[in-house]
Amino acid sequence: MEILPDVNFKALIFGAAMAAAFILFGFQYWDWFYPFAAIGLVYAGYGQKNIIYGTVAGAFASTPIIILTFEGYLGTFKEGFFTTETGIMTVALTILVIGAFVGFVGAWAKKNRMKALEEYEKKQNIGKNKNKNKNK
């Protein structure tokens, strides 16, 4: 029995790992690695079947980013609003919302790519080469 057969777990896990890896590389080596963590979230959304699954996958793939944030890999919160319980929840929810949005963008890009491929195939069947494609 499969759990959620429409979800591409390979893309979800690999995207989350890629996002976490870029944050760790950014902390360890150069700061300009941090923005590339979004590539993992886009991949997690792109690998899903539709836009809703892509959005949810982007949110789930951003959970390692939340853990790394609270461990101090994106900087520390010494005092102020972000050291309170409300501030911690705000940071976690903000990261989840941004992850969901980036996953949505990945799923939307896949939807548009599939639509463009279908239109390309339709154009290939029109014109003087349409009989050549039927014989194959």
Side-chain angles (χ1 to χ4, degrees):
M1 180 175 118
E2 290 186 27
I3 300 171
L4 299 172
D6 294 335
V7 177
N8 185 353
F9 285 105
K10 177 182 151 190
L12 177 65
I13 292 169
F14 188 67
M18 198 169 15
F22 275 113
I23 288 177
L24 291 173
F25 291 150
F27 180 76
Q28 189 71 28
Y29 300 111
W30 297 291
D31 289 341
W32 54 271
F33 274 138
Y34 286 126
F36 292 105
I39 294 171
L41 302 178
V42 168
Y43 180 72
Y46 188 85
Q48 302 308 316
K49 181 179 175 182
N50 59 26
I51 291 178
I52 295 171
Y53 286 153
T55 304
V56 173
F60 277 127
S62 66
T63 54
I65 297 173
I66 295 171
I67 294 168
L68 291 173
T69 300
F70 293 142
E71 290 293 322
Y73 287 96
L74 292 176
T76 58
F77 304 118
K78 296 184 184 194
E79 58 184 44
F81 173 71
F82 295 113
T83 58
T84 64
E85 292 176 5
T86 307
I88 290 172
M89 289 301 294
T90 303
V91 168
L93 288 175
T94 302
I95 293 171
L96 282 176
V97 167
I98 291 171
F101 177 72
V102 174
F104 168 79
V105 169
W108 180 67
K110 180 178 182 179
K111 178 183 171 189
N112 285 342
R113 182 176 183 273
M114 292 301 154
K115 189 185 303 184
L117 286 175
E118 289 174 5
E119 290 177 10
Y120 178 75
E121 289 295 323
K122 284 181 186 177
K123 287 182 180 179
Q124 291 298 318
N125 292 331
I126 298 173
K128 61 182 178 181
N129 292 332
K130 69 179 180 182
N131 292 332
K132 290 181 183 178
N133 292 334
K134 287 183 181 178
N135 293 334
K136 288 184 180 180

